[in-house]
C-alpha cells in the first residue's frame, strides 16, 4: 500500500470541513487499515505462575468469590492495557476459589474454557451436570450455559479462564443473567456427558446441533496418555513436536466454535523450527521446562506459567526437559472466515 498523500492547506481545509459531517478521507488512513502483514498492538508476554499465585492469595483475603461473583485477576496484554484482553481477540484470567467457597450461578453469551492449574477437588456445574476438576483438565462452559463453581476441598483451587469476550464485544452480542441463587440444581449424575459422548461412542439416534462439544471435561490423564503413546513414534512435527487439538466427537470440529484448544508434547532436547500463524496464541506449560523465542524476545518457562505469541510473530520452542503445553487461540473463527494463514518457515 502507498503511504498517505501529502497534506496541503487546501486539503487540510477540506478535511476539517468533512470532519464536521462525520466523514474522513480514506487516502489518509488507508495504509493503517490495509497493512501488507498483520500489525498487532498485542505483544509477546509471559506471566510467572508464582507471581500470579501470590497476588491471587492476596485477592483471596480482600474479597470473597461470592462478592466478586468471580474472583479473577485478568491477564492484560501489555500492548492492550485497559481492554481486558490477553490477545486482540481473546480474554485470559486466573480464577481462585478458596476452600468452602462458591462462585454463584450465572450464564452469558461468551464461551469459557478452564484450564486447571492447581488444586484438586473443586467442581464446576454446567447445565445441570457437575464435574470435578484436576490439574491439566480442560473444561468447557458453552455460550448461555448456566454455570457455578465450588470448592469443597481443603486447598485453594486455581485455573486459567479463556473467554471470547473481545469477539462478543466486537459483535455487540453480549447477554448475561444471574440465576439468583448460588448453585443450580444438579440433574444428571457426574460423568454422564463423558460416558455418553466421550467414550468413542455416541447415542444411536443422536441429533446434536449445538455449536460446542457435548463433552465438557477433557481430563488431562487421557490427553497425556495419548501424547505418551504418540511420542514413541518419532514422526514429530518440526514446528510443533507432537501437537493435537481437542475435538467435538460429534463432528470432529474444534471443541468450541470460537476458541481452538491444543495440547502438545515437546520431547526432551527438542528444538522446533520457526513457525508463525495469524492466530495469536496463549500457551500454558503443564509439565517440563524450556524456552520459547518469539521474534527477538526469549521466555524461559516452567509449569503453569502463561505466555502469549501475537499474530504473525515467529515462534520457536526448545524443551530442556520433556514438556507438555496447552494452548488456545481464535483459529476456528479465522478458519471459518477464510482468514487463517500459517508459515512453516520453509517457503
Ligand atoms: O467463571 O463464569 O474469568 O463469567 C470471566 C467471566 C470467568 C466465569 C471469568 C466469567 C467467568
Amino acid at each position: 500500500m502507498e503511504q498517505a498523500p501529502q497534506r496541503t492547506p487546501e486539503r487540510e481545509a477540506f478535511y476539517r470541513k468533512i470532519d464536521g459531517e462525520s466523514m474522513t478521507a480514506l487516502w489518509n488512513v488507508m495504509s493503517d487499515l490495509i497493512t501488507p502483514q498483520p500489525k498487532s498492538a498485542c505483544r509477546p508476554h509471559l506471566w510467572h505462575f508464582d507471581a500470579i499465585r501470590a497476588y491471587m492469595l492476596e485477592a483471596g483475603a480482600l474479597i470473597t468469590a461470592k462478592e466478586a461473583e468471580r474472583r479473577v485477576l485478568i491477564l492484560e496484554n501489555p500492548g492492550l492495557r485497559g481492554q481486558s484482553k490477553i490477545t486482540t481477540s481473546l480474554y485470559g484470567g486466573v480464577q481462585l476459589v478458596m476452600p468452602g467457597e462458591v462462585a454463584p450461578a450465572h450464564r452469558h453469551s461468551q464461551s469459557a474454557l478452564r484450564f486447571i492449574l492447581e488444586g484438586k477437588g473443586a467442581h464446576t456445574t454446567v447445565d445441570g451436570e457437575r464435574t470435578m476438576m484436576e490439574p491439566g483438565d480442560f473444561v468447557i462452559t458453552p455460550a448461555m450455559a448456566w454455570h457455578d463453581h465450588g470448592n469443597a476441598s481443603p486447598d485453594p483451587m486455581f485455573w486459567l479462564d479463556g473467554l471470547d469476550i473481545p469477539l462478543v464485544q466486537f459483535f455487540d452480542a453480549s447477554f448475561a443473567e444471574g440465576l439468583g441463587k448460588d448453585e443450580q440444581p444438579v440433574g444428571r449424575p457426574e460423568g454422564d456427558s463423558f460416558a455418553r459422548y466421550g467414550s468413542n461412542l455416541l447415542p444411536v439416534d443422536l441429533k446434536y446441533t449445538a455449536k460446542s462439544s457435548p463433552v465438557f471435561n477433557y481430563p488431562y490423564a487421557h490427553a497425556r496418555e495419548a501424547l505418551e503413546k504418540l511420542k514413541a513414534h518419532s514422526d514429530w512435527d518440526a514446528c510443533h513436536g507432537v501437537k493435537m487439538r481437542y475435538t467435538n466427537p460429534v463432528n470432529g470440529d474444534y471443541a468450541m466454535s470460537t476458541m481452538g484448544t491444543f495440547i502438545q508434547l515437546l520431547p526432551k532436547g527438542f528444538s522446533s523450527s520457526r513457525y508463525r500463524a495469524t492466530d495469536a496464541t496463549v500457551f500454558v506449560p503443564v509439565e517440563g521446562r524450556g524456552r520459547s523465542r518469539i521474534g527477538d524476545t526469549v521466555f524461559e518457562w516452567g509449569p503453569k506459567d502463561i505466555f502469549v505469541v501475537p499474530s504473525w510473530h515467529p515462534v520457536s520452542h526448545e524443551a530442556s526437559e520433556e514438556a507438555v503445553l496447552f494452548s488456545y487461540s481464535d483459529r476456528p473463527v479465522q478458519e471459518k472466515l477464510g482468514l487463517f494463514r500459517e508459515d512453516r518457515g520453509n517457503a
Side-chain angles (χ1 to χ4, degrees), residues 69-70 72 74 91-95 103 106 108 112 114 141 147 149 159 161-163 165:
E69 188 161 339
R70 296 294 184 265
V72 174
I74 300 175
Y91 161 103
V94 176
Q95 181 156 178
H106 71 191
H108 39 71
R114 327 275 169 205
T141 308
H147 54 287
H149 319 302
W159 64 76
D161 286 323
L163 284 89
I165 291 172

Side-chain angles (χ1 to χ4, degrees), residues 7 9 26 39 46 55-56 93 100 106-108 166 218 226 231 252 266 299 305 310 325:
R7 325 246 337 172
L26 171 63
K39 212 171 134 185
L46 178 141
Y55 287 124
M56 296 235 51
H106 71 191
R107 63 177 184 169
H108 39 71
Y218 291 74
K231 89 173 188 210
L266 305 174
F299 294 134
D305 292 341
L325 306 179

Side-chain angles (χ1 to χ4, degrees), residues 1 55 58 64 66 69 74 80 91 93 115 138 155 168 189 224 226-227 247 260 269 280 285 291 298 305 319 330 333:
M1 291 290 144
Y55 287 124
E58 259 187 67
T64 62
K66 195 177 159 97
E69 188 161 339
I74 300 175
L80 304 164
Y91 161 103
F115 189 73
F138 156 52
D155 301 308
V168 175
R224 187 66 184 86
L227 293 174
T247 62
R291 53 158 63 170
V298 177
D305 292 341
D330 63 9
V333 180

Side-chain angles (χ1 to χ4, degrees), residues 154-170:
D155 301 308
M157 183 94 181
F158 300 84
W159 64 76
L160 173 70
D161 286 323
L163 284 89
D164 53 11
I165 291 172
L167 284 172
V168 175
Q169 202 169 43
F170 179 78

